mmCIF file of all heavy atoms in Angstrom:
data_model
loop_
_atom_site.group_PDB
_atom_site.id
_atom_site.type_symbol
_atom_site.label_atom_id
_atom_site.label_comp_id
_atom_site.label_asym_id
_atom_site.label_seq_id
_atom_site.Cartn_x
_atom_site.Cartn_y
_atom_site.Cartn_z
ATOM 1 N N GLN A 26 0.845 -1.208 -0.006
ATOM 2 C CA GLN A 26 0.010 -0.007 -0.010
ATOM 3 C C GLN A 26 0.857 1.249 -0.003
ATOM 4 O O GLN A 26 1.941 1.265 0.577
ATOM 5 C CB GLN A 26 -0.870 0.053 1.256
ATOM 6 C CG GLN A 26 -1.767 -1.157 1.479
ATOM 7 C CD GLN A 26 -2.993 -1.134 0.622
ATOM 8 O OE1 GLN A 26 -3.599 -0.098 0.386
ATOM 9 N NE2 GLN A 26 -3.382 -2.301 0.107
ATOM 10 N N THR A 27 0.364 2.327 -0.608
ATOM 11 C CA THR A 27 1.003 3.643 -0.524
ATOM 12 C C THR A 27 0.347 4.430 0.614
ATOM 13 O O THR A 27 -0.674 3.987 1.198
ATOM 14 C CB THR A 27 0.818 4.413 -1.848
ATOM 15 O OG1 THR A 27 -0.581 4.649 -2.053
ATOM 16 C CG2 THR A 27 1.409 3.690 -3.018
ATOM 17 N N TYR A 28 0.867 5.624 0.902
ATOM 18 C CA TYR A 28 0.247 6.469 1.927
ATOM 19 C C TYR A 28 -1.207 6.763 1.554
ATOM 20 O O TYR A 28 -2.074 6.662 2.424
ATOM 21 C CB TYR A 28 1.007 7.817 2.029
ATOM 22 C CG TYR A 28 2.260 7.764 2.863
ATOM 23 C CD1 TYR A 28 3.487 8.045 2.258
ATOM 24 C CD2 TYR A 28 2.215 7.523 4.226
ATOM 25 C CE1 TYR A 28 4.640 8.037 2.996
ATOM 26 C CE2 TYR A 28 3.368 7.524 4.979
ATOM 27 C CZ TYR A 28 4.584 7.758 4.374
ATOM 28 O OH TYR A 28 5.740 7.749 5.122
ATOM 29 N N ASP A 29 -1.440 7.141 0.329
ATOM 30 C CA ASP A 29 -2.817 7.496 -0.075
ATOM 31 C C ASP A 29 -3.775 6.330 0.044
ATOM 32 O O ASP A 29 -4.928 6.499 0.440
ATOM 33 C CB ASP A 29 -2.802 8.043 -1.513
ATOM 34 C CG ASP A 29 -2.149 9.384 -1.620
ATOM 35 O OD1 ASP A 29 -2.080 10.117 -0.625
ATOM 36 O OD2 ASP A 29 -1.710 9.756 -2.710
ATOM 37 N N GLN A 30 -3.315 5.149 -0.276
ATOM 38 C CA GLN A 30 -4.177 3.965 -0.127
ATOM 39 C C GLN A 30 -4.487 3.699 1.363
ATOM 40 O O GLN A 30 -5.615 3.315 1.702
ATOM 41 C CB GLN A 30 -3.539 2.758 -0.773
ATOM 42 C CG GLN A 30 -3.453 2.822 -2.266
ATOM 43 C CD GLN A 30 -2.559 1.787 -2.883
ATOM 44 O OE1 GLN A 30 -1.591 1.351 -2.282
ATOM 45 N NE2 GLN A 30 -2.913 1.370 -4.097
ATOM 46 N N LEU A 31 -3.491 3.897 2.225
ATOM 47 C CA LEU A 31 -3.708 3.700 3.659
ATOM 48 C C LEU A 31 -4.669 4.757 4.220
ATOM 49 O O LEU A 31 -5.481 4.458 5.087
ATOM 50 C CB LEU A 31 -2.388 3.717 4.425
ATOM 51 C CG LEU A 31 -1.468 2.528 4.192
ATOM 52 C CD1 LEU A 31 -0.119 2.749 4.852
ATOM 53 C CD2 LEU A 31 -2.119 1.249 4.711
ATOM 54 N N VAL A 32 -4.595 5.975 3.690
ATOM 55 C CA VAL A 32 -5.524 7.003 4.089
ATOM 56 C C VAL A 32 -6.940 6.596 3.717
ATOM 57 O O VAL A 32 -7.883 6.739 4.517
ATOM 58 C CB VAL A 32 -5.131 8.368 3.464
ATOM 59 C CG1 VAL A 32 -6.257 9.388 3.584
ATOM 60 C CG2 VAL A 32 -3.868 8.918 4.103
ATOM 61 N N ALA A 33 -7.126 6.105 2.515
ATOM 62 C CA ALA A 33 -8.460 5.677 2.051
ATOM 63 C C ALA A 33 -8.988 4.540 2.866
ATOM 64 O O ALA A 33 -10.193 4.511 3.218
ATOM 65 C CB ALA A 33 -8.396 5.328 0.580
ATOM 66 N N VAL A 34 -8.141 3.568 3.204
ATOM 67 C CA VAL A 34 -8.589 2.396 3.961
ATOM 68 C C VAL A 34 -8.986 2.780 5.382
ATOM 69 O O VAL A 34 -9.964 2.301 5.940
ATOM 70 C CB VAL A 34 -7.452 1.330 3.990
ATOM 71 C CG1 VAL A 34 -7.724 0.280 5.031
ATOM 72 C CG2 VAL A 34 -7.315 0.669 2.644
ATOM 73 N N SER A 35 -8.184 3.628 5.997
ATOM 74 C CA SER A 35 -8.379 3.941 7.432
ATOM 75 C C SER A 35 -9.301 5.118 7.717
ATOM 76 O O SER A 35 -9.777 5.252 8.826
ATOM 77 C CB SER A 35 -7.025 4.221 8.068
ATOM 78 O OG SER A 35 -6.489 5.418 7.563
ATOM 79 N N ALA A 36 -9.529 5.961 6.718
ATOM 80 C CA ALA A 36 -10.294 7.193 6.906
ATOM 81 C C ALA A 36 -9.645 8.148 7.923
ATOM 82 O O ALA A 36 -10.313 8.950 8.533
ATOM 83 C CB ALA A 36 -11.735 6.879 7.300
ATOM 84 N N LEU A 37 -8.309 8.050 8.055
ATOM 85 C CA LEU A 37 -7.569 8.980 8.858
ATOM 86 C C LEU A 37 -6.923 10.036 7.936
ATOM 87 O O LEU A 37 -6.908 9.856 6.721
ATOM 88 C CB LEU A 37 -6.441 8.246 9.594
ATOM 89 C CG LEU A 37 -6.863 7.251 10.674
ATOM 90 C CD1 LEU A 37 -5.655 6.456 11.164
ATOM 91 C CD2 LEU A 37 -7.515 7.986 11.844
ATOM 92 N N GLY A 38 -6.402 11.070 8.528
ATOM 93 C CA GLY A 38 -5.693 12.083 7.752
ATOM 94 C C GLY A 38 -4.268 11.619 7.373
ATOM 95 O O GLY A 38 -3.769 10.641 7.931
ATOM 96 N N LYS A 39 -3.684 12.315 6.424
ATOM 97 C CA LYS A 39 -2.328 11.932 5.970
ATOM 98 C C LYS A 39 -1.292 12.015 7.086
ATOM 99 O O LYS A 39 -0.382 11.184 7.168
ATOM 100 C CB LYS A 39 -1.904 12.799 4.805
ATOM 101 C CG LYS A 39 -2.588 12.454 3.502
ATOM 102 C CD LYS A 39 -2.004 13.196 2.350
ATOM 103 C CE LYS A 39 -2.699 12.754 1.045
ATOM 104 N NZ LYS A 39 -2.084 13.424 -0.121
ATOM 105 N N VAL A 40 -1.424 13.024 7.937
ATOM 106 C CA VAL A 40 -0.470 13.208 9.028
ATOM 107 C C VAL A 40 -0.580 12.024 9.995
ATOM 108 O O VAL A 40 0.459 11.495 10.462
ATOM 109 C CB VAL A 40 -0.681 14.549 9.736
ATOM 110 C CG1 VAL A 40 0.211 14.659 10.950
ATOM 111 C CG2 VAL A 40 -0.389 15.698 8.759
ATOM 112 N N ALA A 41 -1.793 11.642 10.335
ATOM 113 C CA ALA A 41 -1.981 10.525 11.265
ATOM 114 C C ALA A 41 -1.431 9.220 10.669
ATOM 115 O O ALA A 41 -0.762 8.445 11.355
ATOM 116 C CB ALA A 41 -3.471 10.374 11.586
ATOM 117 N N VAL A 42 -1.666 8.965 9.379
ATOM 118 C CA VAL A 42 -1.145 7.767 8.753
ATOM 119 C C VAL A 42 0.364 7.828 8.696
ATOM 120 O O VAL A 42 1.007 6.816 8.964
ATOM 121 C CB VAL A 42 -1.766 7.605 7.332
ATOM 122 C CG1 VAL A 42 -1.061 6.491 6.549
ATOM 123 C CG2 VAL A 42 -3.236 7.297 7.432
ATOM 124 N N ALA A 43 0.910 8.957 8.358
ATOM 125 C CA ALA A 43 2.396 9.107 8.294
ATOM 126 C C ALA A 43 3.009 8.838 9.653
ATOM 127 O O ALA A 43 4.057 8.193 9.761
ATOM 128 C CB ALA A 43 2.804 10.496 7.797
ATOM 129 N N THR A 44 2.378 9.312 10.744
ATOM 130 C CA THR A 44 2.890 9.064 12.094
ATOM 131 C C THR A 44 2.806 7.587 12.423
ATOM 132 O O THR A 44 3.739 7.026 13.004
ATOM 133 C CB THR A 44 2.047 9.897 13.115
ATOM 134 O OG1 THR A 44 2.160 11.280 12.749
ATOM 135 C CG2 THR A 44 2.548 9.659 14.525
ATOM 136 N N TRP A 45 1.714 6.930 12.023
ATOM 137 C CA TRP A 45 1.550 5.500 12.293
ATOM 138 C C TRP A 45 2.603 4.699 11.510
ATOM 139 O O TRP A 45 3.219 3.790 12.054
ATOM 140 C CB TRP A 45 0.147 5.049 11.900
ATOM 141 C CG TRP A 45 -0.109 3.613 12.158
ATOM 142 C CD1 TRP A 45 -0.404 3.026 13.347
ATOM 143 C CD2 TRP A 45 -0.023 2.568 11.204
ATOM 144 N NE1 TRP A 45 -0.545 1.668 13.176
ATOM 145 C CE2 TRP A 45 -0.346 1.357 11.864
ATOM 146 C CE3 TRP A 45 0.237 2.494 9.847
ATOM 147 C CZ2 TRP A 45 -0.357 0.124 11.223
ATOM 148 C CZ3 TRP A 45 0.203 1.291 9.194
ATOM 149 C CH2 TRP A 45 -0.066 0.101 9.877
ATOM 150 N N VAL A 46 2.820 5.052 10.244
ATOM 151 C CA VAL A 46 3.813 4.362 9.431
ATOM 152 C C VAL A 46 5.191 4.527 10.033
ATOM 153 O O VAL A 46 5.952 3.560 10.156
ATOM 154 C CB VAL A 46 3.794 4.886 7.971
ATOM 155 C CG1 VAL A 46 5.012 4.450 7.195
ATOM 156 C CG2 VAL A 46 2.524 4.443 7.250
ATOM 157 N N LYS A 47 5.509 5.698 10.479
ATOM 158 C CA LYS A 47 6.826 5.971 11.121
ATOM 159 C C LYS A 47 6.981 5.110 12.367
ATOM 160 O O LYS A 47 8.057 4.520 12.568
ATOM 161 C CB LYS A 47 6.941 7.450 11.477
ATOM 162 C CG LYS A 47 8.293 7.811 12.009
ATOM 163 C CD LYS A 47 8.365 9.310 12.266
ATOM 164 C CE LYS A 47 9.731 9.681 12.835
ATOM 165 N NZ LYS A 47 9.847 11.142 13.088
ATOM 166 N N SER A 48 5.948 4.971 13.158
ATOM 167 C CA SER A 48 6.070 4.160 14.392
ATOM 168 C C SER A 48 6.174 2.656 14.055
ATOM 169 O O SER A 48 6.932 1.938 14.684
ATOM 170 C CB SER A 48 4.891 4.444 15.333
ATOM 171 O OG SER A 48 3.690 3.990 14.742
ATOM 172 N N MET A 49 5.463 2.221 13.039
ATOM 173 C CA MET A 49 5.541 0.810 12.621
ATOM 174 C C MET A 49 6.934 0.487 12.033
ATOM 175 O O MET A 49 7.494 -0.584 12.275
ATOM 176 C CB MET A 49 4.447 0.462 11.607
ATOM 177 C CG MET A 49 3.037 0.471 12.173
ATOM 178 S SD MET A 49 2.769 -0.791 13.436
ATOM 179 C CE MET A 49 2.798 0.207 14.913
ATOM 180 N N ARG A 50 7.471 1.416 11.279
ATOM 181 C CA ARG A 50 8.809 1.212 10.702
ATOM 182 C C ARG A 50 9.888 1.240 11.786
ATOM 183 O O ARG A 50 10.877 0.533 11.658
ATOM 184 C CB ARG A 50 9.068 2.255 9.636
ATOM 185 C CG ARG A 50 8.141 2.066 8.428
ATOM 186 C CD ARG A 50 8.565 2.855 7.253
ATOM 187 N NE ARG A 50 9.824 2.356 6.762
ATOM 188 C CZ ARG A 50 10.742 3.101 6.188
ATOM 189 N NH1 ARG A 50 10.540 4.361 6.009
ATOM 190 N NH2 ARG A 50 11.870 2.556 5.796
ATOM 191 N N ALA A 51 9.647 2.011 12.843
ATOM 192 C CA ALA A 51 10.610 2.067 13.949
ATOM 193 C C ALA A 51 10.760 0.738 14.665
ATOM 194 O O ALA A 51 11.850 0.408 15.147
ATOM 195 C CB ALA A 51 10.228 3.159 14.936
ATOM 196 N N ILE A 52 9.677 -0.039 14.708
ATOM 197 C CA ILE A 52 9.735 -1.363 15.384
ATOM 198 C C ILE A 52 9.931 -2.494 14.355
ATOM 199 O O ILE A 52 9.739 -3.636 14.679
ATOM 200 C CB ILE A 52 8.497 -1.592 16.267
ATOM 201 C CG1 ILE A 52 7.222 -1.593 15.415
ATOM 202 C CG2 ILE A 52 8.429 -0.588 17.408
ATOM 203 C CD1 ILE A 52 5.993 -2.064 16.198
ATOM 204 N N ASN A 53 10.232 -2.113 13.115
ATOM 205 C CA ASN A 53 10.514 -3.048 12.022
ATOM 206 C C ASN A 53 9.319 -3.954 11.708
ATOM 207 O O ASN A 53 9.465 -5.119 11.407
ATOM 208 C CB ASN A 53 11.750 -3.904 12.370
ATOM 209 C CG ASN A 53 12.413 -4.464 11.094
ATOM 210 O OD1 ASN A 53 12.230 -3.928 9.997
ATOM 211 N ND2 ASN A 53 13.144 -5.555 11.254
ATOM 212 N N ALA A 54 8.104 -3.352 11.773
ATOM 213 C CA ALA A 54 6.897 -4.121 11.437
ATOM 214 C C ALA A 54 6.546 -4.000 9.978
ATOM 215 O O ALA A 54 5.734 -4.760 9.471
ATOM 216 C CB ALA A 54 5.752 -3.633 12.292
ATOM 217 N N MET A 55 7.112 -3.003 9.293
ATOM 218 C CA MET A 55 6.834 -2.814 7.862
ATOM 219 C C MET A 55 8.057 -2.174 7.209
ATOM 220 O O MET A 55 8.940 -1.640 7.885
ATOM 221 C CB MET A 55 5.590 -1.967 7.657
ATOM 222 C CG MET A 55 5.641 -0.564 8.207
ATOM 223 S SD MET A 55 4.058 0.277 8.215
ATOM 224 C CE MET A 55 3.681 0.400 6.531
ATOM 225 N N HIS A 56 8.115 -2.301 5.888
ATOM 226 C CA HIS A 56 9.247 -1.759 5.146
ATOM 227 C C HIS A 56 8.797 -1.256 3.778
ATOM 228 O O HIS A 56 7.694 -1.536 3.365
ATOM 229 C CB HIS A 56 10.332 -2.847 5.010
ATOM 230 C CG HIS A 56 9.901 -4.041 4.202
ATOM 231 N ND1 HIS A 56 9.092 -5.016 4.728
ATOM 232 C CD2 HIS A 56 10.094 -4.347 2.892
ATOM 233 C CE1 HIS A 56 8.846 -5.900 3.799
ATOM 234 N NE2 HIS A 56 9.422 -5.549 2.677
ATOM 235 N N ILE A 57 9.696 -0.555 3.110
ATOM 236 C CA ILE A 57 9.413 -0.065 1.756
ATOM 237 C C ILE A 57 9.736 -1.194 0.782
ATOM 238 O O ILE A 57 10.891 -1.627 0.687
ATOM 239 C CB ILE A 57 10.209 1.183 1.417
ATOM 240 C CG1 ILE A 57 9.831 2.332 2.380
ATOM 241 C CG2 ILE A 57 9.993 1.597 -0.024
ATOM 242 C CD1 ILE A 57 10.666 3.570 2.231
ATOM 243 N N GLY A 58 8.739 -1.699 0.096
ATOM 244 C CA GLY A 58 8.930 -2.804 -0.837
ATOM 245 C C GLY A 58 9.109 -2.361 -2.255
ATOM 246 O O GLY A 58 9.441 -3.205 -3.127
ATOM 247 N N GLY A 59 8.886 -1.100 -2.526
ATOM 248 C CA GLY A 59 9.045 -0.604 -3.910
ATOM 249 C C GLY A 59 8.724 0.868 -3.940
ATOM 250 O O GLY A 59 8.408 1.485 -2.915
ATOM 251 N N TRP A 60 8.783 1.407 -5.170
ATOM 252 C CA TRP A 60 8.518 2.835 -5.359
ATOM 253 C C TRP A 60 7.569 3.009 -6.547
ATOM 254 O O TRP A 60 7.784 2.437 -7.598
ATOM 255 C CB TRP A 60 9.824 3.613 -5.622
ATOM 256 C CG TRP A 60 10.726 3.589 -4.435
ATOM 257 C CD1 TRP A 60 11.667 2.649 -4.134
ATOM 258 C CD2 TRP A 60 10.740 4.496 -3.367
ATOM 259 N NE1 TRP A 60 12.276 2.965 -2.947
ATOM 260 C CE2 TRP A 60 11.722 4.121 -2.436
ATOM 261 C CE3 TRP A 60 10.009 5.662 -3.086
ATOM 262 C CZ2 TRP A 60 12.017 4.817 -1.282
ATOM 263 C CZ3 TRP A 60 10.281 6.366 -1.916
ATOM 264 C CH2 TRP A 60 11.262 5.939 -1.040
#
């Protein structure tokens, strides 16, 4: 998923999704699989 897809799925704002992604990446729960 991209940021925009996660925003659509969760109905959260971009800032909230970006904060969540940052926290998940900090604990190595997700990674960038492509661009």
Side-chain angles (χ1 to χ4, degrees):
Q26 304 281 321
T27 64
Y28 279 116
D29 290 337
Q30 291 168 330
L31 290 173
V32 166
V34 166
S35 67
L37 293 171
K39 285 187 178 184
V40 174
V42 170
T44 302
W45 181 80
V46 167
K47 185 177 180 180
S48 65
M49 292 295 104
R50 293 193 66 212
I52 61 170
N53 204 23
M55 60 191 297
H56 64 281
I57 298 174
W60 295 89

